[in-house]
């Protein structure tokens, strides 16, 4: 998913830095609105640690396609070769604290979760008492929504996590479904680390969701620094904009001072948590509620910005 | 000393809010260390109304640097690197593909001509704030860095070597990042118990299931707090997960205008017990949880 060459599909991502500020709600709503507008959409959830986007769509389980990936390798201990010399511990073969010594049995114990699969133990042990092998690390799903467009998501297997790699795998998997698509809309992970970097790679435009609280402001500023590092254009949405007045003013000032693109705000609307508990996008659940009306306006602004670019 | 991790899977459920208020509440009677291990987005200091000034430590991480004069161009480092971070062409000095490097140092350890030096690069900073009864340790990842896990590991080492072993803390509270990945695993590596903060929605349920799976794999007992318990009419979902894992729901914290306002101003509500009273709908929940921890 790099560059713009694959059929001129426009790739949009939604991030926020801070979790729980409305990424999935806004992604789902924009997907619905773009689809209603006649655009061919592919939805992708790259929050591989907590993939929630599909929970907001009615998906046809019969049309589900899955693929298990093995992006992670882990070490294993080979008992019959071990001479119990303890060199692996004394010489600190493992820098990830995944090798501990069981003094009673005089054997090394591998913490498979902490193991990063670097293979140091297998290379350095003079008796070849460690091996390394791939393990199942995650599953990718492609589904078809009630509105008949593909929705792709990846989910890591707990304890086998290499979230960044899983994000890249999920984006790669989504490539199979891009034919004829106009927009790919990606729900991103929280944070600013490896999975976010993998999500942002190759995007054409990013939507940054903020809330009028200092925590969200702080975290969004950090993710904007990262987006600027990638040189990707972005626009800001303020969710629950009426939650705190001073915070709202701070964000507006920040946007103005930096000359950032502002896409609009969404008021607090109790129909939103209600829609989430019913597992529906707010656009489907309450199309005339204040949040839906605000999202329609944001969608219009977004299309204008995208057309200009 | 007791060590408690605060996690929850889903983002924005109130992990930091719970961690900070537990720490503040406990610090009325005990000595507490609060560790902010959400290094992507450390927010504990914001909720405490504290600024982070000078870092107490710059955290660096190993990257290989190849001495071109010593390198015999054998390619061994490239062959043993399982992350394909060293790119080798016959007869040439291997090249580092930095984003793929996991800093395992194996290349340096096996190089037959000792041509690989450590090129320590900054990945983040640690901040330490001393308080009356409560100290705060914060890790902050450098923007653009993908090295959150080594940063958390080094922070935990610092916490053990420089703080916990030297001071007489009664409680250590560790606030983690959202998700259920390696950062969360490492943040929880030293804790005795985990409190998982969730919200009463199908999304909260789904992600709670995942974090409890992680707790089970690493052998930590976990309890559940439902935050904003009355935000939506969602029956049974969290209870189902509670039963599945045998994790008790120890508190339901209702929506509260007072929480929103103090949160926005960087004032932990537990520091306002005198203003709001012990019977405040949120404060009494924290008193109850603290009673369970200390009792």
């Amino acid at each position: 998913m790099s560059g713009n060459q694959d059929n001129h599909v426009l790739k949009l991502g939604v991030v926020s830095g801070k979790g729980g500020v409305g990424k999935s709600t806004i992604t789902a709503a924009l997907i619905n609105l773009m689809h209603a507008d006649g655009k061919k959409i592919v939805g992708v959830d790259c929050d591989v640690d907590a993939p929630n986007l599909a929970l907001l769509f009615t998906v046809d389980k019969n049309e589900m396609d899955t693929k298990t990936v093995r992006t992670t390798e882990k070490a294993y201990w080979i008992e019959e070769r071990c001479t119990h010399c303890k060199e692996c511990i004394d010489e600190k073969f493992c820098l990830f604290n995944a090798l501990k010594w069981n003094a009673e049995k005089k054997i090394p114990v591998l913490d498979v979760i902490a193991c990063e699969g670097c293979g140091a133990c297998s290379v350095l042990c003079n008796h070849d008492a460690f091996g390394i092998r791939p393990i199942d690390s995650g599953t990718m799903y492609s589904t078809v929504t009630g509105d008949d467009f593909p929705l792709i998501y990846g989910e890591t297997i707990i304890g086998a996590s290499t979230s960044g790699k899983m994000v890249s795998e999920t984006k790669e998997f989504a490539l199979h479904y891009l034919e004829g698509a106009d927009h790919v809309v990606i729900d991103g992970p929280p944070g600013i680390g490896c999975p976010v970097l993998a999500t942002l790679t190759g995007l054409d435009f990013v939507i940054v969701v903020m809330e009028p609280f200092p925590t969200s402001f702080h975290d969004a500023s950090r993710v904007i620094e990262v987006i600027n590092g990638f040189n990707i254009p972005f626009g800001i949405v303020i969710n629950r904009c009426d939650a705190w007045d001073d915070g709202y003013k701070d964000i507006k000032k920040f946007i103005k001072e930096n000359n950032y693109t502002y896409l609009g705000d969404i008021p607090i609307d109790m129909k939103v948590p209600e829609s989430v508990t019913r597992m529906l996008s707010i656009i489907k659940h309450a199309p005339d509620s204040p949040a839906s009306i605000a999202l329609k306006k944001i969608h219009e602004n977004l299309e204008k910005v995208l057309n200009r670019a | 000393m007791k060590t408690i991790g605060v996690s929850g899977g889903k983002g924005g459920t109130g992990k930091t809010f719970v961690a900070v208020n537990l720490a503040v509440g406990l610090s009325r009677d005990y000595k507490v260390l609060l560790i902010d291990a959400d290094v992507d987005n450390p927010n504990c200091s914001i909720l405490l109304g504290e600024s982070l000034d000078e870092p107490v430590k710059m955290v660096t991480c190993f990257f290989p640097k190849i001495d071109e004069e010593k390198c015999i161009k054998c390619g061994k480092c490239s062959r043993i690197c399982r992350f394909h971070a060293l790119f080798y062409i016959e007869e040439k000095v291997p090249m580092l593909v930095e984003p793929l490097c996991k800093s395992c140092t194996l290349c340096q350890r096996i190089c037959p001509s000792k041509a690989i030096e450590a090129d320590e690069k900054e990945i983040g900073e640690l901040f330490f704030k001393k308080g009356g009864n409560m100290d705060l340790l914060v890790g902050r990842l450098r923007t653009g860095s993908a090295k959150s896990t080594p940063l958390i590991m080094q922070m935990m080492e610092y916490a053990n070597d420089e703080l916990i072993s030297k001071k007489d803390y009664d409680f250590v509270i560790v606030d983690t990042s959202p998700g259920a990945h390696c950062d969360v695993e490492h943040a929880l590596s030293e804790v005795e118990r985990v409190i998982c903060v969730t919200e009463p929605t199908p999304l909260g349920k789904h992600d709670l299931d995942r974090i409890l799976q992680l707790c089970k794999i690493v052998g930590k007992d976990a309890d559940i707090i439902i935050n904003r318990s009355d935000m939506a009419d969602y029956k049974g979902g969290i209870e189902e997960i509670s039963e599945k894992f045998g994790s008790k729901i120890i508190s339901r914290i209702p929506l509260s205008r007072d929480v929103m306002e103090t949160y926005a101003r960087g004032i932990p509500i537990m520091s306002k017990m005198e203003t709001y009273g012990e019977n405040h709908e949120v404060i009494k929940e924290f008193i109850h949880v603290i009673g369970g921890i200390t009792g």
Side-chain angles (χ1 to χ4, degrees), chain A residues 31-32 70 83 85 91 122 131 140 147 150 190 195 197 216 219 227 234 247 276 279-281 283-284 292 294 301:
Chain A
I31 286 175
N32 281 142
R70 306 186 125 203
T83 61
C85 68
E91 296 296 319
S122 74
M140 286 168 320
D147 285 328
L197 302 177
S216 165
D219 300 351
I227 296 167
F234 66 92
V276 174
M279 300 171 82
L280 285 169
S281 152
I283 300 293
K284 296 274 181 180
S292 285
N301 290 342

Side-chain angles (χ1 to χ4, degrees), chain B residues 18-116:
Chain B
V18 167
V20 162
N21 280 294
L22 278 185
V24 169
L26 283 164
S27 73
R28 297 173 78 91
D29 299 307
Y30 301 96
K31 277 194 72 84
V32 180
L33 172 65
L34 175 61
I35 301 179
D36 193 340
D38 182 358
V39 299
D40 279 25
N41 293 315
N43 285 339
C44 283
S45 64
I46 298 174
L47 295 194
L48 286 163
E50 300 262 9
S51 58
L52 299 176
D53 313 319
E54 282 298 297
V56 64
K57 193 182 174 198
M58 295 287 203
V59 179
T60 62
C61 202
F62 167 94
F63 289 93
K65 188 173 162 191
I66 302 178
D67 184 330
E68 303 203 358
E69 304 210 330
K70 284 192 195 161
C71 178
I72 53 168
K73 306 180 181 73
C74 67
K76 190 173 178 192
C77 56
S78 173
R79 284 192 300 279
I80 60 99
C81 177
R82 302 200 78 89
F83 311 115
H84 312 291
L86 286 162
F87 181 66
Y88 172 66
I89 302 171
E90 208 81 17
E91 312 277 304
K92 294 241 161 84
V93 175
M95 270 181 347
L96 173 68
V97 189
E98 200 181 294
L100 298 179
C101 175
K102 288 227 183 178
S103 310
C104 70
T105 74
L106 185 56
C107 53
Q108 186 188 31
R109 290 188 270 172
I110 57 88
C111 174
S113 61
K114 303 261 173 281
I116 298 181

Side-chain angles (χ1 to χ4, degrees), chain A residues 17-20 48-52 55-56 73 91-97 113-114 116-120 123-124 132 155-156 158-159 161-163 190-194 197 213-215 218-219 222 225-226 243-244 246 268 270 273-274 276-277 279, chain B residues 9-12 39-43 46-47 80 82-83 102-106 109-110 140-146 149 153 178-182 185-186 200-203 206-207 210 213-214 217-218 228 231-234 255 257 260-261 263-265:
Chain A
K18 185 164 173 5
V48 295
D49 272 298
N52 289 338
L55 296 176
L56 298 177
E73 292 186 316
E91 296 296 319
K92 217 170 178 343
F93 285 0
C94 179
L95 292 189
F96 300 101
N97 298 333
I113 293 174
E116 292 270 353
C118 71
V123 172
L124 299 172
I132 190 128
E155 187 167 54
T156 54
I158 302 286
S161 43
T162 39
S163 308
I192 62 163
C194 188
L197 302 177
F213 293 111
T215 44
H218 170 261
D219 300 351
R222 277 164 69 77
E225 260 182 66
V226 175
W244 195 47
D246 293 357
I268 293 182
M270 289 321 276
E274 192 180 283
V276 174
T277 59
M279 300 171 82
Chain B
K10 187 174 179 317
V39 299
D40 279 25
N41 293 315
N43 285 339
I46 298 174
L47 295 194
I80 60 99
R82 302 200 78 89
F83 311 115
K102 288 227 183 178
S103 310
C104 70
T105 74
L106 185 56
R109 290 188 270 172
I110 57 88
R140 189 170 72 189
L141 184 71
R142 206 179 199 178
T143 53
S145 172
T149 305
M153 287 174 67
H181 44 76
C182 23
E185 289 165 25
H186 284 285
T201 67
L203 315 193
H206 175 264
D207 301 347
R210 287 175 56 81
Q213 278 181 50
L214 178 68
I217 293 173
V218 297
R228 302 194 201 98
M231 72 183 279
D233 189 22
Y234 180 61
L255 281 171
R257 186 77 215 171
M260 191 130 105
E261 270 175 22
Y263 178 95
R265 289 174 206 284

Side-chain angles (χ1 to χ4, degrees), chain A residues 154-175:
Chain A
E155 187 167 54
T156 54
I157 292 169
I158 302 286
S161 43
T162 39
S163 308
K165 269 191 183 171
M166 191 65 205
V167 169
S168 305
E169 288 278 344
T170 304
K171 287 170 77 180
E172 194 77 31
F173 188 59
L175 285 178

Side-chain angles (χ1 to χ4, degrees), chain B residues 110-161:
Chain B
I110 57 88
C111 174
S113 61
K114 303 261 173 281
I116 298 181
E117 292 160 25
D119 184 11
E120 292 287 335
K121 287 193 183 163
E122 197 197 320
I123 54 170
E125 298 149 319
L126 301 185
F127 298 87
F128 182 68
K129 279 257 163 186
K130 219 180 148 17
N133 246 353
M134 184 178 104
D135 296 343
L136 172 68
L137 178 67
V138 177
R140 189 170 72 189
L141 184 71
R142 206 179 199 178
T143 53
S145 172
K147 294 279 180 187
S148 47
T149 305
L151 175 56
I152 290 169
M153 287 174 67
Q154 290 192 50
M155 173 162 70
M156 291 305 173
E157 226 173 274
Y158 181 90
N160 278 326
D161 298 350

Side-chain angles (χ1 to χ4, degrees), chain B residues 143-209:
Chain B
T143 53
S145 172
K147 294 279 180 187
S148 47
T149 305
L151 175 56
I152 290 169
M153 287 174 67
Q154 290 192 50
M155 173 162 70
M156 291 305 173
E157 226 173 274
Y158 181 90
N160 278 326
D161 298 350
E162 302 298 324
L163 303 172
I164 295 168
S165 61
K166 291 182 181 167
K167 302 184 186 198
D168 50 344
Y169 294 115
D170 301 302
F171 291 95
V172 177
I173 308 282
V174 184
D175 184 23
T176 79
S177 57
H181 44 76
C182 23
D183 288 3
V184 181
E185 289 165 25
H186 284 285
L188 295 178
S189 62
E190 305 279 324
V191 310
E192 290 149 41
R193 277 196 93 76
V194 184
I195 292 177
C196 295
V197 185
T198 191
E199 62 173 40
T201 67
L203 315 193
K205 175 193 171 189
H206 175 264
D207 301 347
L208 178 66
D209 188 306

